[in-house]
């Protein structure tokens, strides 16, 4: 039986949810192959939409907030893809993949697609597969929301793929000093205090976050991350939050930062992939090879990986 050819980007744009689901399954099975590299490089070269990275500690309500944002975006006629990343078991390596159960969508709506993925063994929170899935979905949807497993001192891979990083924080989760010590204030472009219906604790959390952001960021690149209150249960503040995300995306495009940011992310993902396979010494050895090669980042990663592996394991 002859294997079906891997779909190209144009085919996927008309394949619907079933076609995309099948393509993502084949992408996982064929990771590192030439067809996958060609598809992902084509997707990276033709981004249709913007990527929102939603992160925050476990239990903050990221999945519920994702569902609320999806509803608002669909009400505006925008197509939405969601990548929901669940933590992997330290023992078995598996994952429950249950976050998508909290993201309520219409199964008959062909313009919203939710895919669950396991974090696998990446300490940064996103696997190599997740990067590929996001890049592909960015070429197919107006908005892609990446909901991560959580953020701390190491789970910052979302910064390698998101245009706008949205940090969700719940009330009574620490003062300004604790937020800075956690190492997360340098990440967000927009901050949302969830469960705003709690009242005074939510207001205090907002004030602490604003203080922490003043000390930690200082408005880099002409943008000072705003802090807003939101309740996914009641819907209060969701429209304002969506408007702040749109405002940040507009800022990136108006100042010309979006293209340069995505180029830096592409190179950083390539370096991270090589470092995961070969370590710091391997990345240093790969620099001459990278200078020799042209083409997209995924094709370069495949070629460098093959040649570097032969060099490091050869006689």
């Amino acid at each position: 039986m002859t294997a079906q050819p891997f779909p190209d980007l144009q085919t996927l744009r008309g394949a619907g949810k079933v076609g995309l689901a099948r393509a993502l399954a084949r992408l996982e099975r064929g990771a590192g192959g030439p067809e996958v590299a060609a598809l992902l490089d084509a997707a990276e070269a033709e981004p249709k939409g913007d990527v929102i990275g939603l992160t925050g500690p476990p239990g903050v309500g990221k999945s519920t907030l994702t569902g609320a944002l999806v509803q608002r975006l669909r009400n505006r006629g925008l197509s939405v893809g969601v990548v929901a990343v669940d933590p992997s078991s330290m023992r078995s390596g598996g994952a429950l993949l249950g976050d998508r159960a909290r993201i309520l969508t219409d199964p008959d709506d062909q313009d919203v697609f939710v895919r669950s993925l396991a974090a696998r063994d990446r300490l940064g929170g996103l696997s190599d597969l997740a990067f590929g899935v996001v890049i592909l979905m960015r070429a197919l949807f107006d908005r892609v929301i990446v909901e991560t497993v959580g953020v701390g001192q190491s789970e910052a891979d979302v910064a390698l793929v998101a245009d706008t990083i949205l940090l969700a924080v719940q009330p009574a989760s620490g003062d300004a000093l604790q937020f800075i010590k956690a190492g997360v204030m340098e990440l967000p472009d927009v901050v949302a205090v969830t469960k705003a219906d709690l009242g005074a604790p939510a207001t205090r959390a907002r004030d602490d976050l604003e203080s922490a952001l003043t000390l930690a960021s200082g408005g880099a690149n002409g943008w000072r991350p705003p802090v807003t209150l939101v309740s996914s249960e009641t819907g209060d503040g969701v429209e304002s939050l969506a408007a702040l995300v749109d405002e940040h995306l507009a800022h990136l495009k108006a100042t010309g930062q979006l293209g340069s940011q995505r180029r830096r992310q592409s190179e950083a993902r390539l370096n991270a992939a090589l470092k995961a396979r070969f370590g710091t010494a391997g990345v240093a050895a790969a620099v001459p090879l990278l200078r020799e090669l042209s083409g997209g980042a995924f094709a370069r990663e495949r070629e460098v990986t093959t040649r570097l592996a032969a060099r490091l394991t050869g006689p």
Side-chain angles (χ1 to χ4, degrees):
M1 182 176 178
T2 304
Q4 291 293 319
F6 208 92
D8 59 20
L9 190 59
Q10 193 60 40
T11 299
L12 281 178
R13 284 175 171 159
K17 296 166 71 170
V18 173
L20 177 56
R22 290 173 177 165
L24 293 181
R26 292 188 63 185
L27 186 152
E28 182 171 7
R29 293 195 301 269
E35 289 182 314
V36 170
L39 174 63
L40 294 181
D41 282 332
E44 187 153 34
E46 299 182 34
K48 175 182 179 181
D50 303 303
V51 180
I52 303 166
L54 174 56
T55 190
V60 74
K62 295 189 296 294
S63 297
T64 307
L65 183 56
T66 296
L69 288 172
V70 168
Q71 182 179 356
R72 295 310 189 280
L73 292 169
R74 290 297 298 124
N75 289 343
R76 290 164 50 189
L78 298 175
S79 59
V80 186
V82 178
V83 179
V85 183
D86 286 275
S88 299
S89 167
M90 294 290 289
R91 178 174 299 178
S92 68
L96 181 60
L97 301 180
D99 275 354
R100 66 183 302 171
R102 298 191 182 96
I103 303 173
L104 301 179
T105 61
D106 181 359
D108 294 325
D109 187 349
Q110 292 296 311
D111 286 323
V112 59
F113 181 87
V114 181
R115 175 64 182 246
S116 289
L117 295 173
R120 301 193 174 184
D121 56 356
R122 280 282 297 216
L123 293 178
L126 295 181
S127 65
D128 288 343
L129 174 63
F131 288 138
V133 170
V134 174
I135 295 302
L136 180 57
M137 291 175 65
R138 186 181 68 181
L140 303 174
F141 295 93
D142 297 316
R143 293 286 189 276
V144 178
I145 301 176
V146 184
E147 181 199 324
T148 73
V149 295
V151 71
Q153 292 171 312
S154 62
E155 297 86 351
D157 273 352
V158 69
L160 299 182
V161 73
D163 301 317
T164 296
I165 298 178
L166 170 57
L167 173 65
V169 179
Q170 62 186 346
S173 55
D175 57 15
L177 179 61
Q178 184 61 41
F179 287 127
I180 295 173
K181 189 173 74 171
V184 299
M185 285 299 99
E186 62 193 36
L187 287 177
D189 301 300
V190 179
V191 182
V193 178
T194 62
K195 306 174 184 179
D197 46 293
L198 294 178
T203 303
R204 285 196 298 269
R206 180 193 61 194
D207 295 342
D208 286 336
L209 281 162
E210 288 176 340
S211 298
L213 286 164
T214 300
L215 294 172
S217 66
N221 301 318
W223 176 264
R224 185 179 296 277
V227 184
T228 189
L229 298 173
V230 61
S231 172
S232 301
E233 295 296 331
T234 66
D236 292 340
V238 177
E239 288 287 356
S240 298
L241 175 60
L244 289 174
V245 171
D246 285 342
E247 188 177 335
H248 179 257
L249 290 170
H251 169 77
L252 290 178
K253 295 171 183 177
T255 58
Q257 295 179 48
L258 183 61
S260 59
Q261 177 174 299
R262 287 178 173 176
R263 286 191 294 272
R264 289 194 302 270
Q265 289 172 334
S266 179
E267 292 300 317
R269 291 194 301 270
L270 175 57
N271 287 335
L274 293 174
K275 185 179 290 186
R277 289 167 175 80
F278 303 109
T280 303
V283 172
V287 171
L289 297 178
L290 288 170
R291 290 172 178 165
E292 292 176 18
L293 298 172
S294 60
F298 291 94
R300 291 167 68 199
E301 177 189 336
R302 180 177 179 273
E303 179 69 11
V304 170
T305 297
T306 301
R307 293 170 62 177
L308 190 58
R311 177 179 296 183
L312 296 177
T313 60

